[in-house]
Amino acid sequence: MTIAAQWPLPDTRTPAQLEHDRQDVRGQVTVLETDGAAQESTLESIRARQVFAGRGRGLPFVRFTPNGSPRIVLAAENQLVVDADPQRLAQLGGLLAGYEPADRPGRSDRRRTRVLRYAQGRSAEALRADARRLRQAGVPANVNSIVPLGYVIKGSSYPGLTVAPRPFATNGANQPVRVAIVDTGMAPQPRTDAWDTGVVAKGTDPLNVIEPLDRNDWFSGHGTFGAGIVRQIAPDCEVVVYRFTAADGLGTDESAADMLIRAADDAAGKRLVINASFGAPAVDGVPPLAMQEAVAYISATYPDALIVASAGNDGRDLPLYPAAFPGVKAVGALTSDLTPASFSNRGSWVHCSTVGVGIVSTFVEGLLPPEPGIGTDVHFAPDAWATWSGTSFTAPQISAAVAALCGEDATLTPQAAFDQLIAGRPTVNGFGAVVHLLPGTPTS
């Protein structure tokens, strides 16, 4: 039997467990469908924690809503990304008055884009105006976008506790291929159930960082969850998990770009699938410049590498990046009955979709919700499994399926494997090819 003939994987939960999970997933979807209050509350909570814990503990941001856009956009406080070499920057003179270099430690030397920070407080409107003046002078520039996981920060859409689908087992598709997951990193505690055996962590997901150090944050476990998805579908592939976020789960255009490039360079030309369960929108018509440069670098330098990215959770036809960049495969979300998930982004730029409602995967030890008083406390023990919903959890399924096909055939490139994966499948307008891999959880 071929690997593909085993998809979709079966749902092994008992009726009682399925009913328990259904209740959790209904709550997740309700929050994902709700704009406004939940998102505002979460943003203010994250901001308050940054002030309480000290600025080194998180990523200070400004928020704004561009004219005519339904999106709340986040950007790193006082920062611009400018696509220019040092010589060109030196020629800009007064256009950069008040700005100084502020590249992150460990900045990739493959990038031309630079980060500049204004010496004093700068409003979002002033940052955007500065970027426009630079663009008018012929220099690509924009705010240093905050890159949340799945883009839309939703309130209480945190994971629910569930059970493992089955013991870990290999499937014999063991030709060399790597999945690089650029995310929150992996949990510091190793599992004892073999589901993380051989997974390489290039960055640790800090847990219990919220005072009084007894609760996990909104995005804790995101990388561990993505890695577990890959292991379920492609248990024999190599998995490397990179961390690009701060402790609060927020990264930047710059940090995401650096980790995308590092993931590609680390693979040293081997067959590689890069999973990007994150994204940011264009701001004032300009996509995130550092990620744009990273995607172009990877495409030119490693033509056999494939980037798979989440389409986002706006519930609209609003391109998200890197998913909407040329050459990247954008993945939307479906319900367990393979109909479009209401929260999923959609559009002609979405290549395929898979189930993103109530996905079951590996999770981290700790206590949720992130704050007391917003729901029933749930303790996740060691070797935990959880249900979670969103397009963040569709991209790893496609990444894993591509890796599994490559694992069966040493001559198959990731691009060819993706083409093989979607060939002949039914399509849904705005959601691309329908690929059924994990069962998800029905909500009714």
Side-chain angles (χ1 to χ4, degrees):
M1 177 185 292
T2 64
I3 297 296
Q6 301 174 30
W7 302 330
L9 297 179
D11 192 339
T12 59
R13 287 172 288 183
T14 66
Q17 184 65 51
L18 191 59
E19 180 56 32
H20 169 274
D21 293 351
R22 182 180 290 116
Q23 299 300 321
D24 285 338
V25 173
R26 281 176 182 159
Q28 294 167 14
V29 172
T30 297
V31 174
L32 285 168
E33 292 174 339
T34 305
D35 290 328
Q39 184 172 184
E40 289 284 355
S41 174
T42 306
L43 288 174
E44 289 311 310
S45 174
I46 291 173
R47 193 191 305 276
R49 288 181 200 151
Q50 290 177 352
V51 172
F52 181 81
R55 288 301 176 96
R57 207 60 185 273
L59 187 63
F61 58 84
V62 293
R63 60 173 298 283
F64 56 93
T65 304
N67 293 338
S69 173
R71 275 187 167 134
I72 294 175
V73 176
L74 308 181
E77 195 174 78
N78 301 325
Q79 293 183 15
L80 294 179
V81 174
V82 179
D83 189 355
D85 58 30
Q87 181 179 359
R88 182 69 177 111
L89 287 175
Q91 297 170 350
L92 293 173
L95 288 176
L96 290 177
Y99 282 94
E100 55 191 26
D103 294 309
R104 62 185 290 276
R107 170 188 177 272
S108 172
D109 61 7
R110 305 292 195 271
R111 283 200 299 110
R112 181 180 57 252
T113 48
R114 308 303 298 258
V115 171
L116 304 175
R117 179 184 291 114
Y118 200 75
Q120 301 175 4
R122 200 75 166 158
S123 69
E125 291 73 20
L127 287 171
R128 293 165 65 197
D130 292 344
R132 281 194 295 271
R133 283 191 287 272
L134 288 167
R135 293 197 296 270
Q136 290 166 359
V139 177
N142 214 337
V143 297
N144 189 10
S145 294
I146 294 291
V147 186
L149 300 153
Y151 178 63
V152 176
I153 301 175
K154 297 295 188 179
S156 54
S157 181
Y158 50 83
L161 181 64
T162 190
V163 296
R166 62 189 181 281
F168 177 78
T170 62
N171 62 7
N174 53 14
Q175 296 297 321
V177 60
R178 174 182 293 186
V179 176
I181 300 174
V182 179
D183 212 285
T184 63
M186 284 288 286
Q189 309 99 329
R191 300 177 69 92
T192 64
D193 60 3
W195 280 95
D196 63 351
T197 302
V199 175
V200 177
K202 297 295 182 77
T204 299
D205 183 0
L207 306 178
N208 296 327
V209 298
I210 301 171
E211 299 292 347
L213 305 181
D214 64 348
R215 290 179 184 267
N216 288 334
D217 213 332
W218 296 104
F219 293 114
S220 294
H222 200 275
T224 297
F225 199 90
I229 290 172
V230 173
R231 294 284 276 175
Q232 291 178 71
I233 297 168
D236 292 307
C237 78
E238 182 182 6
V239 180
V240 183
V241 185
Y242 294 82
R243 178 174 176 78
F244 82 97
T245 65
D248 54 21
L250 304 183
T252 62
D253 177 23
E254 178 197 28
S255 62
D258 280 343
M259 287 304 105
L260 290 170
I261 291 171
R262 181 182 174 189
D265 286 344
D266 283 355
K270 69 171 61 174
R271 293 186 301 170
L272 172 69
V273 185
I274 300 176
N275 187 84
S277 289
F278 57 81
V283 175
D284 298 324
V286 181
L289 293 172
M291 283 195 287
Q292 184 176 49
E293 184 182 22
V295 169
Y297 166 80
I298 293 167
S299 298
T301 310
Y302 304 107
D304 284 344
L306 184 72
I307 303 173
V308 178
S310 300
N313 301 326
D314 293 292
R316 300 179 175 91
D317 184 353
L318 292 173
L320 192 75
Y321 299 91
F325 283 132
V328 177
K329 304 306 180 185
V331 189
L334 307 171
T335 65
S336 62
D337 62 3
L338 304 185
T339 59
S342 58
F343 59 79
S344 176
N345 285 0
R346 69 286 309 274
S348 59
W349 53 281
V350 177
H351 297 86
C352 63
S353 296
T354 192
V355 178
V357 176
I359 297 301
V360 172
S361 190
T362 50
F363 199 58
V364 295
E365 182 179 356
L367 181 66
L368 284 174
E371 296 179 348
I374 61 173
T376 303
D377 283 357
V378 179
H379 182 260
F380 293 82
D383 295 344
W385 286 75
T387 56
W388 216 348
S389 303
T391 59
S392 283
F393 314 122
T394 61
Q397 294 179 61
I398 299 301
S399 296
V402 167
L405 294 174
C406 288
E408 281 190 308
D409 183 350
T411 68
L412 201 61
T413 67
Q415 177 64 63
F418 178 82
D419 294 341
Q420 180 178 313
L421 176 67
I422 67 171
R425 293 187 182 271
T427 60
V428 173
N429 186 37
F431 286 79
V434 174
V435 184
H436 197 183
L437 297 163
L438 295 181
T441 303
T443 56
S444 61

